[in-house]
Amino acid sequence: MTNDTDRKRDVATAFGDAADGYRDGAVLKEGADLERLVDWCSDATRALDVATGGGHVAGSLAETDVSRVVAADLSPAMVRTATDVYDGLEGVVVDAERLPFASDRFDAVTCRFAAHHFPDPAAFLAEVERVLAPGGVLALEDLCVPADPELAAYVNRLERLRDPGHVETYSRDRWRGWLAETGLTVDAVHETSRRLEVDAWLDRMDVPTDRRREIRTVLSDAPAALEDAFAFRFESADRERLASYRTGVVLFRASA
């Protein structure tokens, strides 16, 4: 418990320091995936956005007909950022695995690009199931690793080098298993990918110079299977410096 508590404290601090980057990053504040999550919640009147980050999902929900939107995050700085940028949001500092809300409180819960920071994803999903009213919707999006365990381990190694608060990125099937265990019914699954510019990806977490060099070394030594799966693009023909790559993404719509 102490290790998880310390990890969560470190995550809150790190993302508080990176709040501006997450607010302004185009890769997070727009896209067809964001539109899909919001569309999945189109019938909601009371929505909770867990790990709201820059508030992009919560703000988009508030711009639709959702009358009450709670932007929740472990980082007070992220909550302040979300509520400052987007009108009509209620901001709450919360632990995603211990939601401070009554049962059956919301008819939609969203979570986008955050669950890889949760020490116990199953506990998070159990809390989502508890706070969702019968028939309510979970719209979940996160990074997704290949099914091959060696490639998955390589991806997670890179993510932890970049972001010490990263716990683990999971496969689509791992998420399916957890959702089934909580009793949430998967209504739709959408798999996609997004191209990440390596420098911008590193800048968003303000990665120090020595760590950047280590990450670049790991990327240059990546196995051919990972290079193919993630569609590496290099800055020049000598292939010495990686410019961008595509990372897997999965979206789930599940109902209570």
Side-chain angles (χ1 to χ4, degrees):
M1 180 65 72
T2 301
N3 288 342
D4 283 353
T5 300
D6 291 344
R7 183 192 293 273
K8 290 174 182 179
R9 186 182 301 115
D10 291 345
V11 168
T13 300
F15 278 87
D17 294 341
D20 289 347
Y22 274 75
R23 177 196 62 206
D24 298 332
V27 73
L28 294 173
K29 69 180 181 180
E30 58 190 31
D33 58 319
L34 174 58
E35 295 173 7
R36 186 182 297 269
L37 287 186
V38 173
D39 183 63
W40 280 348
C41 301
S42 60
D43 294 332
T45 58
R46 299 161 294 150
L48 168 66
D49 184 35
V50 178
T52 196
H56 308 305
V57 178
S60 297
L61 289 169
E63 291 170 358
T64 66
D65 292 331
V66 182
S67 56
R68 181 191 180 198
V69 182
V70 178
D73 203 285
L74 189 63
S75 164
M78 285 294 197
V79 173
R80 286 194 300 272
T81 295
T83 54
D84 285 347
V85 172
Y86 297 100
D87 293 332
L89 301 182
E90 300 176 33
V92 182
V93 177
V94 305
D95 181 340
E97 297 168 8
R98 297 176 179 83
L99 298 176
F101 306 107
S103 299
D104 303 340
R105 176 63 62 88
F106 301 96
D107 45 22
V109 175
T110 57
C111 183
R112 181 172 181 250
F113 292 132
H116 53 273
H117 292 111
F118 301 164
D120 190 348
F124 156 66
L125 290 176
E127 280 291 88
V128 169
E129 193 275 336
R130 181 183 64 79
V131 302
L132 273 177
V137 170
L138 165 65
L140 171 69
E141 178 177 10
D142 204 11
L143 304 173
C144 182
V145 292
D148 184 315
E150 290 187 11
L151 294 184
Y154 208 97
V155 172
N156 278 303
R157 179 187 175 195
L158 282 167
E159 290 288 353
R160 292 186 189 108
L161 284 171
R162 169 187 173 261
D163 172 13
H166 179 92
V167 176
E168 187 169 354
T169 299
Y170 302 98
S171 68
R172 176 200 62 194
D173 290 343
R174 188 77 177 274
W175 277 113
R176 272 191 176 276
W178 279 323
L179 287 161
E181 289 171 6
T182 62
L184 293 167
T185 300
V186 175
D187 303 313
V189 182
H190 179 72
E191 290 187 79
T192 184
S193 64
R194 57 172 54 216
R195 183 159 292 281
L196 296 179
E197 303 298 326
V198 175
D199 285 338
W201 176 67
L202 297 172
D203 288 345
R204 196 154 53 242
M205 287 300 294
D206 196 21
V207 178
T209 301
D210 58 339
R211 187 63 62 86
R212 288 177 187 239
R213 283 196 294 265
E214 184 177 2
I215 290 170
R216 288 257 178 213
T217 298
V218 173
L219 283 167
S220 67
D221 294 337
L226 185 69
E227 183 176 332
D228 291 342
F230 281 68
F232 280 19
R233 285 183 185 169
F234 295 88
E235 292 182 357
S236 60
D238 60 18
R239 298 167 60 86
E240 287 189 3
R241 184 176 173 85
L242 183 67
S244 67
Y245 68 92
R246 280 201 167 276
T247 185
V249 175
V250 65
L251 296 83
F252 286 95
R253 184 189 191 277
S255 56

